[in-house]
Amino acid sequence: MRWLVGWSSTASGPVSSEGRAIQPVGAQLLWSDPDPLWAVGDWRPDEVRVVQTDPFTRLAVFGCCGASDEELRVGLFAARGGALRHLTAWPGSYTAVAQAGRRVTIVGDLAGARPVFHTDWGGGTAYATAALPLADLIEAQLDVGHLGALLACPDSPEAMGDGTPYMGVRRVPPGHALILRDGARDITGYEPTASLAVAAPPLDQDKAVDAVRDALVEAVRARLTAPRHAPETDDLDPGPVPGMGPAERRAARGAPAPGLGADLSGGSASATLALLAAGLPGMPGTLFGHGTEAGERLLAVTFNDLATAGGARTREAELERAGAIAANPRLHHVVVAAGEDALPYAGLDTGALTDEPGPSLVIAERHRRRLAAGSADHFIGHGARQVLDAHPARLADLLLDRRRRHLLRPATALAKADGPSAQSFFVPFTVYRAARRLARTSYRDGVQEAAARLMERHFIDEQALHGPGAVSASLAALTWCRPGPAARWLTGETLAEVSVRLEEAAVRPVLLRRPGERRADAALARYAADHRVFEQAAEIRSQRLHAPFLDNQVVRACRALPEALRVQPGARAAVLRSVLAGAGIRELPPGWGATSHAAHTAAVRTGMRTWTGELMTLFDAPLLADAGLIEARVVRKALRAAAQGERLPLDGLAELVSTEVWLRRLLARRGTCWTGTAAPRQRAVAGGVVPRPSL
C-alpha cells in the first residue's frame, strides 16, 4: 500500500517535540518542518514529483500525472492564488499537495478513488491518503456506528457523512480540497456548482462525445508516455516445466510481465482501453528493452472461468469477442483459465489488510489470478458504467427540465429487459409515475422517508410488485435516498441509529441539486471507494493498475454528456464505439457492448455454494454480532438460502462477508505505521470491537 502523510501545526511557538520524535515507517521525506510531508510505500521514482519556486512555495504530485514540469509550475502559481481546479486538470490519476508559506492544500479527485483523510493531532491537523495510518497516529478505536451506516445505506452520503471506520478520522468529500493554515483546516469544493432553478444549456451531443474521446485518449497516453518498469522479484525462474511457458511460470510466481497490459474481457470498457493503448504511440518497453520481445506492444489478458456452469453461453460469447479483438497484430493475447479456487468467496482466510472494508474483498483472490498474468502497468475498465451510464434517478431530472419525450425509449427498454410478462404493458407508466414522484419530492422529505423505511424495516417494495430484475432495480433507485441491500439483515438497534443519522442530515442545510445528479455522484463515490479497496486487496508486487475512466478529466467529460443521450438504452456502448471510431478503430466484433450480469451472478452463486462451509464457519461467532450489528443466526440462514438458489440480494451478503473479513484482518494486525521515541504505543483499534451503548 502506498500513501502520503503530513501535518500542519500551529504558528505560535517552536515545532513540538512530539512532531520531531515521530515519523512513518519506511518513509521518504519530501519536505521538513514546520509542515512536513512524507511519501510512504513502494512509490516509483517517476510517481513522486516535486517542483519548487522558492523555499516556501512548492508542489508535490503523487501518482501518474501527464503534466510537464512547466505545467506543474503554472498550476502551483494558480493554486497559490486560489485557483485549485488547475491542479485537477491534467491527465492521469494523482494527488496534489501545494504549499505556499504556511498554507498547505491537499486536492482530492472527483470520483473518490484517491481520497484524502484528516484528523486532529498535536494541536494541529494531520492528513494522509490512507485512514489507517491516521488511526494509528491517534490510537483510534473502531467506529461501529459508521460500519452500521456503511452496511445500511452504502451509497447515501447522508448516512455516512465524512466519517471513516476509525473514530476521529475524517474523509474529504470527492471534488473537494483540504486547506490547512497554521493547523486550522478548511474544506472547500473546486468544481463549479450548477443552478437548480435554471438548467445549463446541454452540450451538443457530437461535441460531448468528442470531449470524452479526447479525455480518454489523453488518459491512456499519460500512461504510455510514462517510463516503463520491469517487475522486481527475488524468485528465480525454476526453468522448464511441462505444459508451462515463461509467462505461465512468471504468473505462478506472482510476478507481472514487463511493459504494458490491459484487460480484454470482451466488454466495451476494457476493449476500448486495450485498443486505444495498442494504437497510440508510446514507449513499448523499459529502458533496458524489457517488454519489447517479438515486437509485442500490449499484453491483453482474458479471464476464463471454468468452474461456473451457469452463464456459460455468455462467457463463450465474451471469449469469442475477446479473441476477435485480440486479432489486432499489436496485441498479444493471453487467456487465464481458473477453477474453483478462483471463484468469489475463495481465499477469505488469506489476503492483505485494506484501509477500509469493501465488497471487493470477496472477489480479490479471483482477480489476483488474472492480474498476475498481466503487466507491470495494467489497464482495467473499472468505472465505465458509473461515469457513462445514466442513474435511473436522472429520469426525474428530465421531468424537471420538461423533457418528457426522452423518457419513452428508456421506459420501453425496461419493459423488454425482463422478458414478456403480463405487467410489461404497464411498465412505462409505472416508471413515469415513479420519476414524477421523485421530481416532486423535496430532498428533506426523501431522506426522511428513507429514515422511516429503516425504522419500519420496509425493504420489500417494488420487487414484490414486479419481481427481481431491471424494472424493480430501476424503480427502487428512483429515490433521494434508500436502504442498501444488506440493511434487511441488520439489527433493529443498528437501523434505529442509522435512521437518526438520516433525520439529522435531512434538517441540515445542503447545496440543493437535482436528484439524478446527486444520486449518480454518490454511486460513483461508493464505487470509487470500493475500487480503491480492490487495488489494495488484489495488489501484485511491482504492478500498477490504471483505471482511466476514474480520472478527473474523463469524469468531467462524461458529466458533460447530455442527459437525453445517457438515459437511452445502450448509450455506453454507443459512446465508446464513437470514441473508437474517432481514434480510427471501426471494425468491432458482433455483440460488442453486451452486458455480463448473468455470468457474474452465476459465478457469485457458484462461489457461495462451493464455499458454504467456510462462510458458515466465518459466521459461527462473527465480530459483527459482537458489535451488535447483526444476529449470526439470521445471516447464516440467509447465506445458506442464497447458496441454494433463493432470490436474495447477493450484493448485501457480499457486503456483510467482506466487512466481517476486514474486521478479522484488522484485529489480527500487528505493529504500527509509526516509529520514533514519541510513536503511539498502541495500534489502531487496539481495544478490539467494543459493544455499542444502548439507545
Side-chain angles (χ1 to χ4, degrees), residues 1 67 166 287 316 409 509 601-602:
M1 188 169 71
Y166 314 101
L287 297 176
E316 291 175 0
R409 286 187 61 189
T601 302

Side-chain angles (χ1 to χ4, degrees), residues 316-344:
E316 291 175 0
E318 284 189 351
L319 291 175
E320 291 178 1
R321 288 194 296 270
I325 295 172
N328 188 319
R330 304 193 70 177
L331 291 174
H332 174 62
H333 195 204
V334 173
V335 179
V336 178
E340 292 185 351
D341 53 350
L343 284 170

Side-chain angles (χ1 to χ4, degrees), residues 39 117 141 161 194 233 361 442 469 506 546 622 679:
F117 304 91
Q141 294 292 316
T233 176
L361 290 178
S442 66
H546 301 283

Side-chain angles (χ1 to χ4, degrees), residues 224-239:
L224 290 175
T225 55
R228 301 275 71 82
H229 296 271
E232 301 176 2
T233 176
D234 299 328
D235 300 328
L236 298 178
D237 192 329

Side-chain angles (χ1 to χ4, degrees), residues 51 80 93 177 223 241 287 309 317 341 417 432 471 512 516 523 568 615:
V51 295
R80 186 174 62 177
S93 178
R223 276 80 174 187
V241 177
L287 297 176
D341 53 350
Y432 177 80
V471 176
L512 293 180
Q568 302 307 320
L615 292 176

Side-chain angles (χ1 to χ4, degrees), residues 3 47-48 94 115 156 270 292 322 350 418 461 507 539 584 612 641:
W3 42 282
E47 290 177 329
V48 180
Y94 55 87
S156 299
S270 62
T292 59
T350 60
D418 297 332
D461 39 25
V507 299
E539 185 177 17
T612 300

